[in-house]
Amino acid sequence: MSKPRIHILALGGTIATRPDATGAMQMGLGADDLVSAVPLLASVAEIEAETVSRVGSHSLSFDQLQALATKIRGLEADGIVVTQGTDTLEETSFLLDLLLDLDKPVIVTAAMRNPSLTSPDGPGNLLAAVRVAADPWVRAHAKALGVVVVMLDEVYAASDVLKVHPTRINAFASTQTGPLAALVEDRIVPMALPVRDAIVAAKKHLGGAKDGKAAPVAVFWMSLDESGRLLDAVTTAPDHLGYRGAVIGAMGGGHTPERATDSVLKLAAAIPTVVAPRAGGGPMLRQTYGGPSSEIGLRKGGLIWGGRLHPLKARVLLETCLRAGLSRAIVTEVFDLFG
Ligand code: GLU
């Protein structure tokens, strides 16, 4: 039986670093270097490898990811593996998930330990990602899975995966839902399919996002005794400092400090503003607490309710909606789908 054709696209990140003369790690390796470090890949798939960029993921842009999605749409491979840095992987994978609608696997992977360290995880993660992309169950369920992330022998839904630690090797988790599959020996063991109704429904509105123009979204984290002055700065500045939307990382089930609430409401009147849980995701309340700074008051005041999405994922979705040119009413409808 012929092996599946898997196309590897390398963007940069720790997985692609090498030491400079001072010993500092710099972006440098390309896709061919990554592939030649893992001879076993050839036994799993027919590999095509392409270096897209040599950029740390902390410096990637929406435009670059939009261009990557266009490139992926044009590939004839049976599956695609993207390698990048870990810093923004939870955002980039979700953005690709929103922009792509393919019935073949799209996998994002990375590394926490750079190639100069003992037991770097890059080669193992790349092999695991290609195994996942080539796996018959994954290929049969590619549409139902959406874009997935493979790290340390686990498969995660792009909409749920989070980077939960800045340095340790097991830095990724889907804290709400758990992994979708595990790699054991050379097998993929399926464990769950993601609930994607909200994403599928959202995508119906997102057609124009593929080549939409920049629509920057600010994130504000609410914290003890926050005054709201930073929000006022955006609300009152000419052209809102260029921001077209905002996400508020709110406390608990959707709460903001009372002293900041006037600023929150004014911001929401100026630009579409989404409330998402700073607790890291999970459905928020809608109708429990009264008063101006809790869910009932904020919702009445025009805040868009972000549902179960982590604030960083809500930001990706909001910018994608705005790039697609969606009205505030449709944006509200889209976020409403997320619970
Ligand atoms: N900050 C770099 C990046 O995200 C390196 C971190 C990493 O890959 O783990 O690309």
Side-chain angles (χ1 to χ4, degrees):
M1 213 172 65
S2 66
K3 287 183 244 152
R5 295 161 305 155
I6 306 299
H7 200 108
I8 297 173
L9 297 165
L11 301 189
T14 288
I15 193 168
T17 52
R18 60 180 170 206
D20 65 16
T22 70
M25 300 308 290
Q26 304 279 4
M27 301 298 145
L29 303 180
D32 288 340
D33 302 308
L34 302 188
V35 170
S36 59
V38 191
L40 259 181
L41 286 174
S43 67
V44 180
E46 295 207 12
I47 302 291
E48 186 93 26
E50 187 178 345
T51 305
V52 176
S53 62
R54 288 179 164 87
V55 179
S57 76
H58 50 279
S59 298
L60 286 171
S61 67
F62 269 80
D63 285 345
Q64 278 168 302
L65 268 298
Q66 235 169 242
L68 182 70
T70 303
K71 178 183 267 299
I72 290 173
R73 269 184 230 110
L75 295 175
E76 278 177 9
D78 299 311
I80 291 94
V81 170
V82 176
T83 65
Q84 63 157 88
T86 59
D87 286 357
T88 58
L89 190 147
E90 60 202 316
E91 294 159 86
T92 57
S93 58
F94 185 48
L95 178 54
L96 288 176
D97 196 22
L98 293 172
L99 295 176
L100 293 171
D101 205 10
L102 305 178
D103 52 9
K104 52 183 154 189
V106 179
I107 320 286
V108 188
T109 193
M112 288 299 293
R113 285 193 189 146
N114 71 60
S116 74
L117 297 172
T118 304
S119 62
D121 51 332
N125 284 341
L126 181 59
L127 179 59
V130 170
R131 278 200 205 287
V132 171
D135 178 74
W137 179 81
V138 173
R139 289 177 65 191
H141 293 85
K143 199 126 190 176
L145 289 162
V147 173
V148 298
V149 168
V150 172
M151 290 295 284
L152 224 53
D153 290 349
E154 290 196 319
V155 181
Y156 302 101
S159 54
D160 291 302
V161 70
L162 299 175
K163 186 173 181 181
V164 294
H165 197 279
T167 51
R168 73 181 188 216
I169 195 165
N170 58 336
F172 285 82
S174 285
T175 53
Q176 289 188 67
T177 57
L180 304 175
L183 279 85
V184 182
E185 298 164 339
D186 58 358
R187 292 168 291 128
I188 311 303
V189 180
M191 297 194 290
L193 286 172
V195 176
R196 288 177 59 77
D197 304 32
I199 294 170
V200 170
K203 275 168 189 270
K204 295 208 172 96
H205 296 288
L206 292 177
K210 326 202 257 307
D211 28 49
K213 295 279 171 299
V217 171
V219 179
F220 298 101
W221 218 252
M222 289 296 117
S223 53
L224 184 70
D225 210 19
E226 165 65 46
S227 70
R229 277 186 222 123
L230 211 46
L231 285 70
D232 294 339
V234 170
T235 303
T236 56
D239 196 35
H240 307 304
L241 301 176
Y243 289 113
R244 297 288 169 262
V247 170
I248 308 271
M251 295 147 156
H255 307 143
T256 55
E258 201 141 329
R259 62 187 296 231
T261 298
D262 194 42
S263 306
V264 170
L265 295 173
K266 282 184 177 143
L267 182 67
I271 50 178
T273 302
V274 171
V275 172
R278 75 167 195 178
M284 292 184 296
L285 299 172
R286 290 186 176 203
Q287 50 189 24
T288 299
Y289 294 103
S293 60
S294 295
E295 65 276 6
I296 295 172
L298 292 174
R299 281 164 64 78
K300 272 199 194 127
L303 273 295
I304 298 168
W305 227 234
R308 69 182 188 82
L309 294 174
H310 185 285
L312 291 177
K313 307 232 187 229
R315 176 178 174 271
V316 166
L317 178 59
L318 180 56
E319 172 140 2
T320 308
C321 287
L322 297 175
R323 281 181 175 239
L326 303 187
S327 67
R328 188 189 278 246
I330 301 287
V331 172
T332 305
E333 228 177 80
V334 165
F335 274 94
D336 229 37
L337 298 164
F338 285 86

